[in-house]
Amino acid sequence: MNKDIILLRTVEVAAIASYKYIGKKNKNILDGAAVEAMEKVLNSAEGFSIKVVNGEGELDNAPMLYSGQILGDKSTKVPMFDVCVDPVEGTNPAASNFAGSIATIAISRLNTMLKLPEMYMEKLFVSNQLKDCADLQHGIIACVQKMQKKAKKKDIKAIILDKPRHNEIIKKLDKMGVIVRLIKDGDVLAAIDVVNGEADFVYGIGGAPEGGLMASLAISSGCKMMAKLVGYDQVWPHEKETKQRVEYENQALQKINLSFEKYLDDNDLIKDPRTRFFAAGITAGGTLKAIDYLNGKYYVSAFMSSHGVIRNIKSVYDIDQINALKPEIKYLFDKYKRK
């Protein structure tokens, strides 16, 4: 079967498995369902295998979809690829049933993805029309001024993570005439909105592993991303775990030969112009819609980008037919059916 179809099915089935637990206030069990579904579909793939580069949190010693895990066709004659995975990007929104969660995966040629530590990253994702302005080295405000000049208007549209660490930047952008949309979680989902023309850029300090997914999306869609790693002590200077996290981060940076001062663009994170990106809505939001279920059928809103081609996809999963024709994933639908 075509590799792209398998990867598209992977994110869609992960969204379906998580549906049972949307709004149940238990983000761990919701995430666990999506992880199991994603691993099952990937492990049943034929004709290729994958190596997880950025996966489930290494700080939590995740048992599935962990960094370095090999999945797929076990034959030595098939090609192997790198992947970044996030079975539920936005576990809090999904557990509380508000907008902001997706299942997502990105793939590239073997040994082309940078393994990112589980830490914070300042990320800027800019639309195709303004990608020449994506330069964080002089700060986000100077970068936005470049975008306004290029767009020949002040009221460009931004999506910003609504966190206390961004309060001053949000105030400055508002005074500059920028139309700011705030989100609690889900900067990968927000980047999809940029690709689909709903905003001009996404900015915020969020999770570093998601940076690989956003880099794949930028490369495959013709947009642009810039990023820089940020120390835990810069975000949470007074927490009990700060000292331990700083030690972990310093060790992690030494392993990948990076520093907090180095600026990275999408091509530093993924060295493959043929990278592909896939996502499916869980509670979603914006241009990607939430998963729904009615009369034995799941309605899934999915997204794919590759080689500058962008696809917004509506899929309908008829459970009875799938259970009859795809017995290898039948137990997932039985196990995670919402009653």
Side-chain angles (χ1 to χ4, degrees):
M1 181 180 289
N2 181 282
K3 178 169 74 272
D4 289 350
I5 294 297
I6 294 173
L7 294 168
L8 180 63
R9 178 181 292 166
T10 298
V11 294
E12 290 177 338
V13 172
I16 289 170
S18 69
Y19 180 81
K20 178 178 180 178
Y21 303 109
I22 291 174
K24 299 295 186 181
K25 307 294 184 181
N26 190 328
K27 65 180 184 179
N28 291 329
I29 195 169
L30 184 146
D31 187 61
V35 168
E36 181 184 3
M38 188 172 277
E39 186 188 55
K40 176 64 178 177
V41 178
L42 289 173
N43 225 4
S44 63
E46 297 180 356
F48 71 100
S49 62
I50 63 166
K51 180 180 74 174
V52 178
V53 177
N54 295 305
E56 289 292 275
E58 61 183 28
L59 290 176
D60 300 324
N61 295 313
M64 292 189 285
L65 298 181
Y66 55 86
S67 178
Q69 185 178 8
I70 306 297
L71 298 165
D73 197 324
K74 300 304 187 289
S75 169
T76 58
K77 297 180 180 180
V78 301
M80 181 178 289
F81 298 86
D82 286 348
V83 295
C84 293
V85 297
D86 198 343
V88 183
E89 193 238 355
T91 52
N92 285 323
S96 300
N97 197 14
F98 61 79
S101 63
I102 58 174
T104 180
I105 188 169
I107 188 170
S108 68
R109 290 180 294 114
L110 186 64
N111 299 325
T112 59
M113 283 185 178
L114 178 65
K115 185 184 182 311
L116 293 163
E118 192 172 339
M119 55 192 294
Y120 283 100
M121 175 180 274
E122 181 183 21
K123 292 174 281 189
L124 172 67
F125 188 100
V126 180
S127 69
N128 177 273
Q129 293 78 11
L130 300 176
K131 64 181 180 181
D132 294 340
C133 306
D135 182 4
L136 273 177
Q137 297 191 55
H138 296 97
I140 184 61
I141 299 303
C143 185
V144 172
Q145 288 171 337
K146 286 183 181 180
M147 290 189 227
Q148 289 176 317
K149 185 176 180 180
K150 176 74 178 287
K152 297 180 180 179
K153 61 180 183 179
K154 290 185 176 181
D155 59 341
I156 60 175
K157 296 179 180 179
I159 304 175
I160 311 288
L161 283 170
D162 187 12
K163 307 291 183 183
R165 55 186 175 268
H166 301 141
N167 285 347
E168 290 304 312
I169 289 172
I170 292 168
K171 290 177 183 177
K172 289 179 181 178
L173 293 178
D174 185 59
K175 289 181 179 179
M176 292 167 63
V178 177
I179 299 172
V180 176
R181 184 178 117 205
L182 300 178
I183 57 171
K184 293 293 184 182
D185 297 275
D187 50 3
V188 181
L189 173 59
I192 293 174
D193 276 355
V194 171
V195 174
N196 279 331
E198 291 294 309
D200 295 298
F201 71 94
V202 176
Y203 173 80
I205 296 173
E210 288 80 9
L213 291 160
M214 293 172 71
S216 174
L217 176 58
I219 294 168
S220 60
S221 67
C223 295
K224 194 65 184 174
M225 179 192 171
M226 276 204 75
K228 183 168 74 73
L229 292 168
V230 176
Y232 193 86
D233 56 338
Q234 299 301 304
V235 180
W236 304 106
H238 307 301
E239 299 301 308
K240 291 181 180 180
E241 72 273 14
T242 297
K243 183 178 179 181
Q244 183 179 358
R245 288 295 296 264
V246 168
E247 291 175 357
Y248 158 78
E249 290 175 352
N250 289 333
Q251 293 173 2
L253 290 180
Q254 286 180 356
K255 288 181 181 179
I256 58 176
N257 195 28
L258 280 181
S259 71
F260 291 116
E261 288 71 40
K262 183 174 177 58
Y263 286 89
L264 305 160
D265 72 5
D266 40 48
N267 295 298
D268 294 315
L269 298 175
I270 298 181
K271 299 181 184 299
D272 183 5
R274 296 172 179 263
T275 182
R276 292 165 164 83
F277 173 90
F278 305 81
I282 299 177
T283 58
T287 55
L288 206 58
K289 304 306 178 186
I291 186 172
D292 199 7
Y293 177 81
L294 182 66
N295 297 329
K297 296 179 181 179
Y298 286 99
Y299 296 82
V300 186
S301 177
F303 175 95
M304 172 187 172
S305 62
S306 67
H307 303 79
V309 179
I310 299 159
R311 295 180 172 92
N312 288 279
I313 304 159
K314 304 295 183 184
S315 299
V316 180
Y317 278 69
D318 186 312
I319 299 307
D320 287 341
Q321 281 193 294
I322 291 170
N323 285 344
L325 298 173
K326 301 292 293 182
E328 68 272 20
I329 60 174
K330 178 181 183 299
Y331 90 94
L332 289 171
F333 295 123
D334 291 340
K335 182 176 181 178
Y336 295 114
K337 182 178 181 181
R338 188 161 186 163
K339 297 178 181 178

